[in-house]
Amino acid sequence: MHFFFHKYYNQPLLTFNYKKMYSTQDQLTELIRRLEEKNHVFSADPILITEKLQPEQANPLTKLHRRATRIDNDGKLAQLLTTIDTRVNGVIWGLTVLWFILGFVALFGLMQAQVVNFFYVLASLLGFNTIILLVWLGWMLFSPRNKPSFFGAFFTPATLVRGKDVVTQTAVELYQDQLNHAGTKWYVSRISHQFWLASLSGMLVSLILLLLVKNYNFVWESTLLQDSNVVEVVKLMAWLPNWVGFPTPTAQDIITAQMNPETTPQMISFRWAMLLIGSLLMYGIVPRLLAWLCCLMMVRSSRMKLDIKQPYYQKIIDFWQRKVIDPDDSPAEQKPIAPTAQISLANKLAVLLEYPQANPQWYAKTVGMAAQNFGRIDDRDDLEKLITYLQSNPVQVLVGISNLALPDRGTLRNLHNIAGAAKGGMIV
């Protein structure tokens, strides 16, 4: 049974088709899959863990998650994924702060003069932002679904995690494949809107601070537009800020701003300043915030999930669901695996399989002579150390097995390996 599963389990595997970004548990499970394809040696034997999970009652995805967690029994793989997550998020939030500072400084430099051209400042605040927002809408509506994300081409986790071992490189590949996939459009868009929100927020903070401590006079200039045209444009632009409560310039305020800016009353300047703040909020920050919230909801509702129908996972699930009753067709007399279990004068080596023993001298009265305590065999590394020791030391092995242990294939396989290497025989 075990031989059949081992042969079936190690057949070539197909690649995985990404759809959206993974959850933390799915990431660990997928990382285990990729490492097994590369014949990575884990701290715990995946085959033994798969066999031990067979009788447990749970849905297949939950059992696959348990399997990945138990294979990563020292937590190093999960810690590596957490480290990459932390560094990626750290870079994103660091860039967010940088965009806030750039927006703050840009607005501060734009508002140095006391007499300010209103339309020039407004175009500087919202012009490029609006163009980029429209480009994003076109990208989301018309870009091919199967086209990889440009974000993955300019940003790679390999720049944040420099390990050259197979585990680190495989984890980096896992993240990079997610970034390169077309399904991450919402994730990339959320980050882009976050940067623009930070920049616009920096401009807003800088604008409010400057208006608090400096007295500005707002003017407008136009070669092509008449006064009546400008009045209509300003009224149209001021509708939304005025609708939410911002005071806006009247028709007379607009005419005054062009004719005699140096002697403009403070109340008129106040209404122009409120229109500038309201326009920045309603035409800059609010659309970006709505787009960011939309992307955030799409990211959360479209998270990548493991496709348990792919061959790799189906082989494991099929094994868990298989019920096999082996017929007792063994011959009446079986050849012993190890030499006959007789007490010899050879040196004794005592080992425990899996379960610990409260009495450290459990073997003292077994053979009536001193024995060396090798300790407990709990995983593959322990077994390999014992086999290596037995190959160079002719000893008789005393194997202690707890009455809590089940006679499963893993236990029988370990006994077979120990018996084959014990030159002085083995006693259970």
Side-chain angles (χ1 to χ4, degrees), residues 262-278:
E262 289 77 7
T263 59
T264 301
Q266 185 177 3
M267 182 54 65
I268 297 178
S269 297
F270 172 78
R271 286 194 283 264
W272 280 105
M274 288 297 100
L275 177 59
L276 187 59
I277 295 176

Side-chain angles (χ1 to χ4, degrees), residues 226-264:
Q226 301 297 320
D227 293 354
S228 57
N229 301 132
V230 176
V231 169
E232 294 301 322
V233 169
V234 173
K235 283 185 176 181
L236 180 64
M237 183 178 59
W239 177 83
L240 191 57
N242 191 40
W243 181 70
V244 296
F246 282 92
T248 55
T250 64
Q252 185 59 44
D253 295 339
I254 299 170
I255 302 300
T256 303
Q258 185 192 33
M259 294 178 59
N260 195 11
E262 289 77 7
T263 59
T264 301

Side-chain angles (χ1 to χ4, degrees), residues 43-63:
S43 57
D45 189 347
I47 298 178
L48 293 179
I49 291 174
T50 304
E51 292 175 351
K52 290 181 179 180
L53 276 167
Q54 188 178 32
E56 294 190 14
Q57 299 299 318
N59 63 68
L61 183 59
T62 300
K63 293 179 73 172

Side-chain angles (χ1 to χ4, degrees), residues 25 248 412 423:
Q25 190 62 55
T248 55
L412 297 177
K423 297 178 181 180

Side-chain angles (χ1 to χ4, degrees), residues 376-392:
R376 183 163 60 100
I377 305 301
D378 190 41
D379 54 27
R380 179 186 293 180
D381 291 340
D382 295 338
L383 181 61
E384 290 179 353
K385 292 178 182 178
L386 174 61
I387 298 301
T388 302
Y389 179 85
L390 294 178
Q391 289 173 349
S392 57

Side-chain angles (χ1 to χ4, degrees), residues 179-306:
L179 294 175
N180 286 334
H181 193 267
T184 59
K185 289 172 65 173
W186 293 109
Y187 177 78
V188 175
S189 298
R190 180 181 67 84
I191 296 175
S192 174
H193 294 313
Q194 180 173 315
F195 291 162
W196 279 104
L197 273 175
S199 177
L200 293 170
S201 299
M203 293 179 184
L204 179 63
V205 172
S206 180
L207 178 62
I208 293 175
L209 291 177
L210 287 174
L211 291 174
L212 285 174
V213 299
K214 293 184 67 175
N215 184 24
Y216 288 97
N217 294 320
F218 292 92
V219 300
W220 61 268
E221 297 175 343
S222 177
T223 303
L224 300 178
L225 297 178
Q226 301 297 320
D227 293 354
S228 57
N229 301 132
V230 176
V231 169
E232 294 301 322
V233 169
V234 173
K235 283 185 176 181
L236 180 64
M237 183 178 59
W239 177 83
L240 191 57
N242 191 40
W243 181 70
V244 296
F246 282 92
T248 55
T250 64
Q252 185 59 44
D253 295 339
I254 299 170
I255 302 300
T256 303
Q258 185 192 33
M259 294 178 59
N260 195 11
E262 289 77 7
T263 59
T264 301
Q266 185 177 3
M267 182 54 65
I268 297 178
S269 297
F270 172 78
R271 286 194 283 264
W272 280 105
M274 288 297 100
L275 177 59
L276 187 59
I277 295 176
S279 299
L280 179 58
L281 277 172
M282 302 309 297
Y283 302 121
I285 293 179
V286 170
R288 280 290 178 182
L289 181 60
L290 293 175
W292 182 83
L293 290 174
C294 176
C295 294
L296 180 63
M297 290 187 293
M298 292 300 297
V299 167
R300 291 183 175 180
S301 64
S302 305
R303 188 177 294 277
M304 288 179 69
K305 297 184 183 298
L306 287 179

Side-chain angles (χ1 to χ4, degrees), residues 55-191:
E56 294 190 14
Q57 299 299 318
N59 63 68
L61 183 59
T62 300
K63 293 179 73 172
L64 287 171
H65 288 167
R66 292 177 185 174
R67 176 180 177 271
T69 302
R70 295 180 188 181
I71 291 175
D72 183 33
N73 61 355
D74 56 3
K76 291 184 178 179
L77 298 180
Q79 181 60 42
L80 175 60
L81 293 175
T82 301
T83 299
I84 298 178
D85 270 333
T86 302
R87 293 183 182 180
V88 170
N89 290 330
V91 169
I92 292 174
W93 282 105
L95 291 175
T96 301
V97 174
L98 178 61
W99 277 64
F100 179 90
I101 296 174
L102 291 176
F104 186 95
V105 174
L107 192 281
F108 188 85
L110 193 64
M111 299 281 289
Q112 289 301 302
Q114 182 180 1
V115 179
V116 177
N117 188 316
F118 178 82
F119 291 113
Y120 177 77
V121 173
L122 187 63
S124 300
L125 293 178
L126 300 179
F128 191 63
N129 168 74
T130 304
I131 292 174
I132 295 299
L133 187 59
L134 294 175
V135 169
W136 171 77
L137 288 173
W139 177 60
M140 295 301 294
L141 293 174
F142 303 111
S143 64
R145 292 182 178 272
N146 58 351
K147 184 179 180 180
S149 166
F150 68 89
F151 184 71
F154 294 97
F155 175 75
T156 170
T159 59
L160 306 177
V161 183
R162 299 298 182 91
K164 300 299 182 181
D165 57 286
V166 65
V167 175
T168 303
Q169 292 300 313
T170 304
V172 169
E173 291 171 5
L174 174 60
Y175 273 86
Q176 190 63 47
D177 286 347
Q178 294 176 86
L179 294 175
N180 286 334
H181 193 267
T184 59
K185 289 172 65 173
W186 293 109
Y187 177 78
V188 175
S189 298
R190 180 181 67 84
I191 296 175

